[in-house]
Amino acid sequence: ENAPAYENIIVDTPRPGVGLVTLNRPKALNALNSPLFKELNAALANFQSDASIGAIVITGSNRAFAAGADIKEMASKTFSEAYNADFLATWSQLTTITKPIIAAVNGFALGGGCELALMTDIIYAGPKAVFGQPEIKLGVIPGAGGSQRLTKLVGKSRAMEAVLTGRNIDVEEAEKWGITAKRFDTPEGCVEGALDTAELIAGYSKIAVKAAKEVVNVSEETSLAEGVRFERRVFHGLFATQDQKIGMKAFVEKVKPEWKHE
Ligand code: CO8
């Protein structure tokens, strides 16, 4: 199989069932430019269609997860160029991936980097992780969902303060606000912790995992009553799968389930 050659990311499968994407533009603190996003989208699409992959981890370097959209690439853009090309629209392709994605954040996750992390399903952070939406300092605003996802996640007052001041949010505060699911003592521990969780998830029934991600995401976009109804219907639907029979039988017989993923 021909592995695609990437210049801005490193793609690996370090654990059974786990795909890892490492953002790799160290000289620009992993600033997100179009070629990088094209590669990220391609790598994620490959993991999405690879039946052996059950979960995905995205990480950067110890110094930077990603220091934002590439300012040098954007600086001279005109409105017509941004509008005609629907600049940044392809960034949210990540949210169409149905397999769980964990962000292992070390160092700067600013602007587009913060928004990228917010598009994933779970954020783990290292000891020096820094989040923020500094776009206001550049004369613009968050453009890849930051104002919406951050507000839903941490509430209006905190999101408004972050977006209007552009200030850094350190890992203690990010944890208190509920941005991060877990904090680790070392950068390496953060990545390993994300891989551990991804491996655990990849060991479950892929059909149940897909359904679980789908129903949690629906809660972001619908009323409680509709969401609960949707969850129950999907729950009912899983009784049509082999994995439901396999999982419950294995529990009763006190053996390890051998998932069929169907
Ligand atoms: N874009 C391009 N290059 C960058 C970026 C970036 N976002 N961040 C860092 N770099 C480059 C620097 O220019 C520098 O390159 P060079 O060596 O060629 O000068 C190199 O990375 C190292 O950076 P620093 O020397 O600045 O490193 P420091 O440790 O001194 O500072 C900081 C680190 C604080 C992270 C600093 O680099 C910084 O403030 N970066 C910019 C952060 C930022 O503003 N991010 C938001 C960008 S805007 C955005 O993401 C909006 C997304 C949606 C866009 C909507 C538009 C429509």
Side-chain angles (χ1 to χ4, degrees), residues 205 238-249 259 262:
S205 161
L238 290 175
F239 285 86
T241 66
Q242 291 190 50
D243 281 351
Q244 174 270 327
K245 300 287 177 293
I246 289 164
M248 293 193 180
K249 187 161 175 277
W259 306 115
E262 48 189 66

Side-chain angles (χ1 to χ4, degrees), residues 27-29 31 63 67-72 74 87-88 108 110-112 115 134-135 138 141 143-144:
K27 284 187 192 136
L29 301 184
R63 194 161 164 233
D70 191 314
I71 298 168
K72 291 165 189 169
M74 285 187 292
F87 179 48
L88 297 186
F108 299 111
L110 299 176
E115 292 171 306
E135 289 89 345
L138 301 168
I141 63 170

Side-chain angles (χ1 to χ4, degrees), residues 98-166:
T98 62
K99 296 177 182 179
I101 305 178
I102 304 172
V105 175
N106 288 299
F108 299 111
L110 299 176
C114 186
E115 292 171 306
L116 173 62
L118 292 173
M119 277 185 239
T120 68
D121 301 307
I122 300 170
I123 301 177
Y124 281 1
K128 298 227 169 86
V130 174
F131 298 84
Q133 299 291 160
E135 289 89 345
I136 197 78
K137 299 180 190 172
L138 301 168
V140 290
I141 63 170
S147 65
Q148 308 302 299
R149 291 197 180 91
L150 189 64
T151 307
K152 282 198 197 310
L153 187 60
V154 306
K156 177 177 157 181
S157 182
R158 286 164 167 170
M160 197 63 100
E161 195 226 13
V163 169
L164 290 177
T165 65

